[in-house]
Amino acid sequence: MMGGTVEIDETKLKALMVASLDGHSRAYQALLRLCAERLRTYYRRRMTGREADVEDLVQETLIAIHRKRASYDPTLPFTPWLHGIARYRLIDHLRREYRRVTLPLDDVLEPVDSIAVDAILAEIDVSSLLTRLSPKQADAIRLTRIEGHSVREAAAMSGQSEPSIKVNVHRGIGRLVAVVRGKAR
Amino acid sequence: MRTDQLIAELATEGAPIASPRLRVAGAIFVGWLIALAGLFVFLGPPLQEVQHTGVASFAVKLGYTFALASLSVMAAIAAGRPGSRLAGPIGLIALPIIMLSFVALLELASADAAARSGMLFGTTYLDCLKSVVLASLPVFAGLVWAYRILAPTRLPVAGFLIGLSAGSAGAVAFALYCHEATASFLVAAYTPAMLIPAFFGAIVARPLLKW
């Protein structure tokens, strides 16, 4: 334990997990730290260059480990259990992302009618939500939907072309809906 | 929230928790009692038929259904534990079915050709299907509740095994009422009756069991 890489093997992880299930909170904290490291490596290897997603997944998985800790059978090795949970969270994450990304533009246009959008916009703190979008999307939505300018005016004011105003409004709103739904859940 | 902060918070909550086996067993037992109460309301007191069929036939029916129930519950629990092997526990479930099918084949082979269909389908085939499926419902609900502390990674498999556990527990309850006395009937009626909740479980697994 003198700095450098301490080899944390299956035996130690398992011992920590067994102690954690017995209510040993320091062992549990140490275990979660070690799991976080392992998970970071695991997700980084699978989601190269998406550091924010990686950290989200690490946290989601730590929560899953916590909620599902009763599902660990102390007679079995710990690492396959951890990997089972990590893999399930990864698949779930990718599935949700896939659904968001492959939603065709037409699908976003149809159900998000302006009344629903206005109601959503009214209910929430708009400015904080707009920070979740790219600057161009945020500008497009602010100019057309909140300040009420026409697409042509908005294009002139923002320096974007008219088609890109339209696209940015629709993409931005699709994203906002996803954000709001995510919160509701 | 930063990951370190999250870990510190989770660690303060880390109280020891109940064993999944106990929770599952308790849920099945409560569900089974409800199923039994339901059967009592519709069919009256159990074990009325013992005087006609004898104790042995009841013992076989209870033994078959109880064996299937225990084996499928064990497999269902394994399916809720990431990293555990399922082939073994699932393979074991087939054992009583194969054994009883063998007995049924012998029984049918030694019987009169005209009597065979009566031995297979009895006089209460549909009643058996309906009662077993209905009796499995409270057990199914209890199992889904108990399962929430587990972490199934293959949802349809877990759903199938939960359904099979519920179906066979329902069959244990119905066996107390059934007056059919052949092994052939047990294979031909009870087995599909238990598989109906199992396939139902596999179908509804994703929305019901995802975490």
Side-chain angles (χ1 to χ4, degrees):
Chain A
M1 295 285 197
M2 300 289 287
T5 38
V6 182
E7 203 197 310
I8 301 295
D9 53 16
E10 163 62 33
T11 331
K12 286 175 191 158
L13 284 172
K14 184 172 170 166
L16 285 174
M17 181 62 174
V18 170
S20 306
L21 291 176
D22 279 339
H24 196 301
S25 71
R26 275 180 54 219
Y28 191 39
Q29 189 158 358
L31 176 77
L32 289 176
R33 284 228 180 90
L34 293 170
C35 288
E37 269 172 35
R38 293 206 151 193
L39 292 170
R40 219 167 270 136
T41 316
Y42 177 90
Y43 289 130
R44 256 187 208 139
R45 207 173 286 155
R46 287 161 180 80
M47 311 192 68
T48 328
R50 293 154 68 184
E51 208 47 34
D53 280 359
V54 168
E55 209 51 34
D56 277 356
L57 264 168
V58 169
Q59 296 194 0
E60 273 176 34
T61 309
L62 288 172
I63 293 170
I65 290 172
H66 181 67
R67 288 217 189 109
K68 301 294 187 178
R69 62 197 189 279
S71 74
Y72 175 65
D73 177 354
T75 63
L76 297 174
F78 178 76
T79 317
W81 181 80
L82 178 65
H83 278 173
I85 290 193
R87 192 163 166 275
Y88 182 86
R89 284 276 118 234
L90 176 67
I91 291 170
D92 189 63
H93 183 89
L94 294 176
R95 192 175 278 144
R96 271 182 283 151
E97 189 175 69
Y98 175 81
R99 233 181 273 145
R100 209 183 300 148
V101 171
T102 57
L103 209 57
L105 201 54
D106 287 344
D107 280 1
V108 179
L109 294 181
E110 292 300 339
V112 186
D113 58 315
S114 57
I115 297 160
V117 170
D118 287 345
I120 291 167
L121 289 178
E123 273 172 17
I124 47 184
D125 185 353
V126 179
S127 56
S128 84
L129 269 177
L130 288 180
T131 62
R132 308 283 289 258
L133 305 177
S134 77
K136 281 186 176 175
Q137 288 176 357
D139 278 346
I141 290 177
R142 191 166 38 75
L143 289 169
T144 58
R145 295 301 175 108
I146 298 170
E147 296 178 18
H149 298 290
S150 70
V151 171
R152 183 180 295 175
E153 288 165 345
M157 291 163 83
S158 65
Q160 302 178 40
S161 70
E162 286 183 32
S164 76
I165 287 280
K166 285 182 192 162
V167 167
N168 280 329
V169 166
H170 293 313
R171 285 198 183 146
I173 282 173
R175 172 89 188 108
L176 286 181
V177 170
V179 168
V180 171
R181 284 208 181 124
K183 272 187 186 165
R185 228 186 287 137
Chain B
M1 168 144 57
R2 295 311 89 217
T3 304
D4 278 348
Q5 224 177 312
L6 176 72
I7 289 175
E9 271 177 35
L10 294 179
T12 59
E13 285 178 33
I17 31 179
S19 129
R21 282 199 195 104
L22 271 180
R23 191 172 145 117
V24 166
I28 291 178
F29 187 63
V30 172
W32 190 77
L33 286 182
I34 295 172
L36 207 58
L39 288 176
F40 188 90
V41 169
F42 289 110
L43 304 175
L47 296 172
Q48 296 282 332
E49 306 291 338
V50 178
Q51 41 192 330
H52 301 123
T53 63
V55 177
S57 124
F58 268 85
V60 172
K61 274 181 283 191
L62 287 174
Y64 179 61
T65 51
F66 191 80
L68 276 175
S70 326
L71 292 172
S72 44
V73 169
M74 283 197 278
I77 293 178
R81 296 186 186 280
S84 59
R85 291 177 191 282
L86 285 181
I90 290 177
L92 278 180
I93 298 174
L95 212 62
I97 300 178
I98 293 169
M99 278 165 54
L100 197 73
S101 303
F102 188 67
V103 175
L105 279 179
L106 291 180
E107 190 183 66
L108 289 172
S110 64
D112 213 41
R116 281 177 193 156
S117 119
M119 291 169 70
L120 272 171
F121 301 111
T123 51
T124 54
Y125 191 84
L126 281 178
D127 289 335
C128 171
L129 285 192
K130 271 187 278 183
S131 308
V132 169
V133 170
L134 285 176
S136 76
L137 290 177
V139 183
F140 190 87
L143 269 170
V144 169
W145 169 81
Y147 219 70
R148 283 196 309 204
I149 60 168
L150 290 172
T153 50
R154 277 179 283 174
L155 300 180
V157 176
F160 183 90
L161 292 170
I162 286 179
L164 190 61
S165 308
S168 40
V172 173
F174 178 71
L176 298 171
Y177 288 89
C178 176
H179 69 255
E180 308 282 353
T182 63
S184 318
F185 183 82
L186 259 180
V187 172
Y190 277 62
T191 315
M194 294 184 255
L195 285 172
I196 293 171
F199 283 109
F200 172 75
I203 291 166
V204 298
R206 198 161 289 289
L208 225 50
L209 301 177
K210 74 171 185 171
W211 48 279

